[in-house]
Amino acid sequence: MAARPTWQGHLRLSLVTCPVAMYTAVMPGGEVRFNLLHPKTHNRIKMVATDPDLGPVDRADLVKGYEYEKDHYVILTPEEIESVRLESTRTIDIERFVDADAIDRLYWDNPYFLVPDGKLAVDAYTVIRDAMAGAGKIALGRVVMHTRERLLAIEPRDNGLVCYTLRSHDEVRDAGELFDDIPDKKADPQMVAIAEKIIEQQEGPFDPSQFKDRYEDALRALIKQKEKGGKAKVTAPEPENTNVVDLMEALRKSLGQKPGAAVAKPAAKPKKAAAKAPTRRSAPRKKAS
């Protein structure tokens, strides 16, 4: 395996233990990054540590401080920080099993592949994997990564196991801070019915290859063109105009209806028609593709 493991140790389920290695599941470097250059020399600019009173300073002389109130700091020495640093036990102890939907999506963080570390680990690894798959549960364990203890959610995937670091409770904001200001108002049932039809029309499987970062693609095309000595002619596609004035009109257009067309309502019980009154039937509405 070409990639270097992020973490190596043991996965333990009660008395069953196996060596495992953890690899990041995402590719780094996908975003276009720029360096700051001087416009005349094209030399890369170096960021110099500067004290507002003393000017440039040597980074080796700097200390770490925690701001407990505005412009007031507690200074911590490297020895003091080291004294509370967690030792890596190199073991992921499975502490609990939960249903997948019991973990709020806000808590899911970075994904990793968890694989057996060596041929001798395969037997115990497959026992843990297959038992978890049969139970249909998510395993919770702890791991020390980069001196920080993280909670892990582990689940079977194909022939292996994947794990996600989970954010702590303090890291997730209370939704009420923002959602409580939204008025408790029900939407127009007719508009909701149209929106539900639009959702039905746009249903489909998730294919991540269909979703491209158009800005990143345009940047890469621009850079490639500039490398060849060309002029900057590449632009990202313009987004559609979203300045909607009439919500009902926008919903009807989205559904493929003609402006002003009547919205279908639930069928009511037929009433007794008046004598000689002609019966009118509206033409069947075509379902938008």
Side-chain angles (χ1 to χ4, degrees):
M1 191 173 291
R4 294 183 60 184
T6 302
W7 182 91
Q8 287 177 285
H10 290 80
L11 176 65
R12 181 161 58 198
L13 172 61
S14 188
L15 299 180
V16 180
T17 304
C18 68
V20 290
M22 187 185 299
Y23 295 84
T24 180
V26 296
M27 297 291 290
E31 182 181 350
V32 175
R33 300 181 182 275
F34 295 99
N35 295 313
L36 294 178
L37 312 176
H38 191 279
K40 294 183 179 179
T41 65
H42 286 184
N43 290 329
R44 186 171 175 176
I45 301 301
K46 296 181 179 180
M47 299 301 175
V48 180
T50 304
D51 183 283
D53 298 326
L54 303 177
V57 296
D58 191 341
R59 287 185 177 273
D61 297 332
L62 303 182
V63 297
K64 292 184 177 181
Y66 175 79
E67 187 178 27
Y68 61 92
E69 61 181 56
K70 182 66 175 177
D71 296 331
H72 289 77
Y73 300 88
V74 172
I75 306 301
L76 297 177
T77 67
E79 293 76 19
E80 289 170 331
I81 295 175
E82 188 67 27
S83 68
V84 297
R85 195 182 297 273
L86 290 172
E87 292 185 6
S88 175
T89 61
R90 292 295 171 187
T91 301
I92 301 172
D93 281 306
I94 297 177
E95 302 176 6
R96 185 176 301 176
F97 291 92
V98 300
D99 294 329
D101 57 6
I103 306 175
D104 192 313
R105 290 189 182 186
L106 290 175
Y107 288 90
W108 295 88
D109 197 3
N110 296 320
Y112 296 87
F113 296 128
L114 195 63
V115 301
D117 195 8
K119 294 181 179 179
L120 297 178
V122 172
D123 288 343
Y125 179 91
T126 54
V127 168
I128 296 174
R129 179 202 63 198
D130 292 350
M132 290 179 58
K137 299 289 185 179
I138 301 291
L140 297 181
R142 298 173 188 269
V143 65
V144 177
M145 298 173 61
H146 312 299
T147 71
R148 181 184 177 186
E149 187 178 49
R150 302 298 303 265
L151 183 63
L152 286 182
I154 308 168
E155 63 180 354
R157 183 185 181 93
D158 300 329
N159 289 332
L161 294 170
V162 294
C163 59
Y164 294 81
T165 53
L166 298 179
R167 299 181 178 94
S168 67
H169 182 268
D170 294 337
E171 290 179 285
V172 178
R173 296 182 63 179
D174 181 6
E177 295 177 5
L178 300 171
F179 290 171
D180 286 350
D181 291 335
I182 301 175
D184 187 11
K185 176 185 176 182
K186 295 293 184 181
D188 185 318
Q190 290 185 330
M191 293 187 182
V192 172
I194 298 176
E196 288 174 347
K197 287 292 184 182
I198 297 172
I199 292 172
E200 289 179 10
Q201 292 175 359
Q202 297 184 4
E203 284 180 353
F206 172 62
D207 182 1
S209 64
Q210 295 181 353
F211 295 88
K212 302 290 186 180
D213 189 329
R214 294 173 293 180
Y215 174 69
E216 290 285 323
D217 289 345
L219 271 181
R220 293 184 188 280
L222 174 61
I223 291 169
K224 189 173 183 179
Q225 191 176 76
K226 295 276 287 185
E227 284 177 351
K228 297 178 179 179
K231 295 182 179 180
K233 295 181 180 179
V234 180
T235 57
E238 290 291 334
E240 296 181 2
N241 181 20
T242 57
N243 185 21
V244 178
V245 178
D246 189 328
L247 179 57
M248 178 63 87
E249 197 74 2
L251 287 168
R252 284 172 172 153
K253 288 181 179 179
S254 299
L255 191 59
Q257 288 183 320
K258 293 181 180 180
V263 180
K265 296 182 179 180
K269 293 182 179 180
K271 295 181 180 180
K272 191 174 182 179
K276 297 183 180 181
T279 302
R280 298 181 58 188
R281 293 184 180 179
S282 58
R285 185 173 56 192
K286 292 183 179 180
K287 186 176 182 181
S289 57

